Amino acid sequence: MRAGAGALALLMATGCSAAVEDGSSSTPKTAISITPLNGGQGLSTETPIMVGTTVGTLKNVTVRAGGQPVAGVYSADRTQWRSERPMAPGLSYSVTAVAAGPDGGTVEKTNTFSTAKATTSFGIDTLLPNKDTGLTVGVGMPIMITFDKPVKDRVSVERNLSVQASNPVEGAWHWFDDKNVVFRPKNYWPPHTKVRFVANLKGVKGADGMYGKQDYTRDFTIGRSQISVANTQTHHMKIDRDGTQIKNFPISAGMGGVMRHYTTSGIHLAMSREDVTVMTSPDAGPGQSGYYQTTVYDTVRISNSGEYVHGAPWSVGDQGNSNVSHGCINVSPSNAKWFKENTLIGDPVIVEGTPRKLEATNGWGHWQESWKDWLKWSRLRADMTGPLT
């Protein structure tokens, strides 16, 4: 996704500063315009630095902030220049531009200005996928960001979040709240796609007086396509890899009776793989009716409401014909071991046949939202991922 494309596009205004002229009355006049205007103080960091000429070309543009050079890009005809990044808070800037006119003469202009000071900073607290999830992930894997402080200026932040992919996809960011934003494609990632996420957040305004403290980059790879479909009515889970069915496990799902004992229907994602998991009743404590604590082996978590695909030797006789669990998907110990060892984090696990629907905020249930609903919570809407550079 070309987040920040609007900020980096060479659609440059000529500004409002006074012209500097060169040449006689018989030749065109050369003028340089610089934005921000000379002498500006306490400026917003989102104001781009722009330099332009009305006649002639720019020979050189030099920008320094706090004594350090600032990068920028020229237009193809060298009549315009624009900074690549937002300005940083609390710095003094100096812009010097030299332009050449049609008669070969040159003019020079300098503007100085300063940006508003930061009172606090923000950064990314959690970025998934990471080394814990593995950096080769399933075709359903979202990019999930949790900020360490609430973000109020979502537009400024979102336009500085960039997703590049070796196989272009349409995708969009979705804000669940002021601290959590998630990117997913419109459809699953193409298998074997290489993905790079870049957050150019240093100096970006997140709220009044709050600016990003650093940039972030994360590279990961989409693995083979593996999609599992567990049907609670047929009591089987079919596993397709790259479009071909490779397994068909007998299962036992949630027994129902009360809503919390149904397995949630919908598109889940594999969230973790665990050798051993201790499961405790979520709605009953020790000594209360319905309390249980069970140690299970070879588990794959698929929600935050306690649902796993796991080995259940006690229900092997029910697997393939009856639903007897508290909501998990029970499989035999050997099938559980295979599933854990052959599942990537981010693999879709789709459950069908129950009246209880998976919420989009339950674990990584982000594929539960239609694309239309997903876009309602994106500040910049959908875009194609940029080329991987």
Side-chain angles (χ1 to χ4, degrees):
M1 170 169 286
R2 301 178 186 86
L8 294 178
L10 294 174
L11 301 176
M12 304 184 221
T14 58
C16 305
S17 54
V20 178
E21 300 178 354
D22 186 359
S24 67
S25 59
S26 62
T27 60
K29 297 178 179 180
T30 301
I32 298 175
S33 61
I34 300 175
T35 303
L37 299 180
N38 190 42
Q41 297 181 0
L43 300 176
S44 168
T45 60
E46 294 302 301
T47 303
I49 302 172
M50 298 186 295
V51 181
T53 60
T54 54
V55 177
T57 58
L58 291 169
K59 291 177 64 67
N60 185 59
V61 175
T62 302
V63 182
R64 301 188 74 83
Q68 299 299 312
V70 174
V73 289
Y74 291 93
S75 61
D77 60 3
R78 290 188 73 90
T79 62
Q80 299 174 330
W81 181 97
R82 181 170 181 146
S83 54
E84 291 182 348
R85 298 286 306 274
M87 294 190 290
L91 290 181
S92 296
Y93 282 76
S94 173
V95 181
T96 299
V98 178
D103 63 352
T106 61
V107 295
E108 180 176 313
K109 182 176 179 62
T110 297
N111 276 15
T112 60
F113 44 86
S114 61
T115 52
K117 294 182 179 180
T119 57
T120 187
S121 62
F122 76 99
I124 292 177
D125 183 53
T126 304
L127 171 59
L128 299 176
N130 60 16
K131 290 182 179 179
D132 291 335
T133 64
L135 294 175
T136 297
V137 293
V139 296
M141 187 71 193
I143 300 172
M144 293 172 281
I145 296 172
T146 300
F147 295 106
D148 58 7
K149 292 185 178 69
V151 169
K152 301 301 181 183
D153 194 339
R154 296 182 181 182
V155 171
S156 293
V157 170
E158 188 176 324
R159 71 186 178 194
N160 285 284
L161 305 177
S162 172
V163 181
Q164 305 165 10
S166 60
N167 295 306
V169 297
E170 182 181 4
W173 293 95
H174 177 113
W175 291 85
F176 283 92
D177 54 42
D178 285 347
K179 295 182 74 173
N180 292 278
V181 62
V182 175
F183 175 90
R184 55 157 265 218
K186 182 178 181 180
N187 302 302
Y188 295 143
W189 295 98
H192 312 298
T193 297
K194 295 185 182 301
V195 183
R196 174 170 295 156
F197 163 70
V198 179
N200 288 323
L201 294 179
K202 186 175 182 179
V204 171
K205 183 179 179 182
D208 288 343
M210 185 178 79
Y211 298 88
K213 54 190 173 186
Q214 70 180 75
D215 297 336
Y216 303 82
T217 300
R218 179 66 44 82
D219 290 306
F220 61 95
T221 301
I222 306 301
R224 80 291 174 269
S225 172
Q226 182 168 296
I227 300 174
S228 304
V229 180
N231 190 302
T232 64
Q233 301 299 311
T234 64
H235 312 291
H236 279 79
M237 181 167 70
K238 297 179 180 180
I239 302 169
D240 287 0
R241 181 174 293 174
D242 295 325
T244 299
Q245 183 176 311
I246 59 170
K247 295 286 183 180
N248 188 3
F249 292 161
I251 66 167
S252 179
M255 69 181 75
V258 293
M259 193 60 70
R260 67 179 179 274
H261 287 162
Y262 284 104
T263 308
T264 55
S265 284
I267 304 173
H268 306 68
L269 296 178
M271 300 172 63
S272 68
R273 296 165 300 197
E274 303 166 21
D275 294 334
V276 181
T277 303
V278 178
M279 296 186 173
T280 304
S281 51
D283 51 2
Q288 295 179 323
S289 175
Y291 172 77
Y292 64 86
Q293 186 177 80
T294 304
T295 300
V296 295
Y297 300 91
D298 294 320
T299 70
V300 174
R301 182 161 64 101
I302 60 173
S303 79
N304 277 344
S305 54
E307 294 167 306
Y308 290 76
V309 179
H310 68 81
W314 59 87
S315 71
V316 168
D318 297 301
Q319 294 166 24
N321 58 77
S322 302
N323 294 323
V324 298
S325 83
H326 289 93
C328 289
I329 297 174
N330 290 179
V331 296
S332 72
S334 61
N335 286 340
K337 183 175 177 61
W338 184 95
F339 192 69
K340 183 198 69 176
E341 293 177 348
N342 287 275
T343 291
L344 294 174
I345 302 304
D347 277 348
V349 180
I350 303 169
V351 178
E352 299 176 339
T354 81
R356 182 185 175 193
K357 301 302 180 184
L358 176 69
E359 303 92 345
T361 54
N362 184 352
W364 301 349
H366 309 314
W367 292 95
Q368 284 295 94
E369 291 197 2
S370 69
W371 189 237
K372 180 179 179 181
D373 288 339
W374 185 262
L375 294 181
K376 290 178 181 178
W377 297 98
S378 173
R379 297 283 67 81
L380 301 179
R381 307 307 182 192
D383 196 2
M384 297 299 293
T385 53
L388 191 62
T389 57

